[in-house]
Structure formats: structure tokens, C-alpha cells
Amino acid sequence: MTRKRFIKLLMAEGCSRNRAHELCQLYMCHCESYDKAYKKRLKVKSLGKAISKSGEAAKKATLAFMDMAGAFYRALGKQVVEG
């Protein structure tokens, strides 16, 4: 893959031209080719999405646990009042 193609792919993802050039320099410090750099970028993006999804699942689980705890305390309070 050429540098020009790599930059165009980054720009297609929504990066500005300047940001694409910055990322190009950054990736090339750690990768042997633009092709390997782009594949690494795709892996990082998919990992970010997976982390985001797991964060959403954790948030939902926390809210469900809080609802359950609230129901438990309401039932416990009712038991105490009714004695």
C-alpha cells in the first residue's frame, strides 16, 4: 500500500488531512509498511468498539443490580413496618 492510499483511507474514516499525516508518521514509527500499519489500525478500532460495548453491558448490569437492591430494601422495609 502506498502512503497516499494509506492517507486516503484514514481520511475516508473521517480524519482531517493533517491528522491523517500525523497518524501516518506515528504508525510508520512502529510498522514496516503502510499495509501492516492499516491492518494494525483496524485491529485497534475493533478493540475499541469491543471495549465500548462491554462498557455499555457493564452499565446495564450495574443499573439492573441497583434496581434489584432497591426492590430488596423496599421489601425489607415493608417487612419491618408490617412486623
Side-chain angles (χ1 to χ4, degrees), residues 23-77:
L23 288 173
C24 186
Q25 289 176 345
L26 177 70
Y27 277 109
M28 289 314 293
C29 290
H30 302 286
C31 298
E32 300 169 3
S33 68
Y34 293 110
D35 190 49
K36 288 182 181 178
Y38 192 70
K39 287 178 182 175
K40 184 177 280 193
R41 177 167 174 81
L42 292 178
K43 286 181 185 177
V44 169
K45 282 182 70 175
S46 65
L47 179 61
K49 287 179 184 177
I51 290 170
S52 177
K53 285 182 182 178
S54 67
E56 291 171 13
K59 182 179 177 181
K60 288 179 183 178
T62 301
L63 291 174
F65 178 77
M66 290 171 62
D67 287 342
M68 183 185 69
F72 172 76
Y73 285 117
R74 284 190 297 278
L76 185 62

Side-chain angles (χ1 to χ4, degrees), residues 2-3 7 11-12 42 54 63 71 80:
T2 64
R3 176 183 172 88
I7 290 173
M11 290 171 56
L42 292 178
S54 67
L63 291 174
V80 169

Side-chain angles (χ1 to χ4, degrees), residues 16-27:
S16 68
R17 183 178 301 275
N18 289 339
R19 181 67 181 147
H21 283 282
E22 291 170 4
L23 288 173
C24 186
Q25 289 176 345
L26 177 70
Y27 277 109

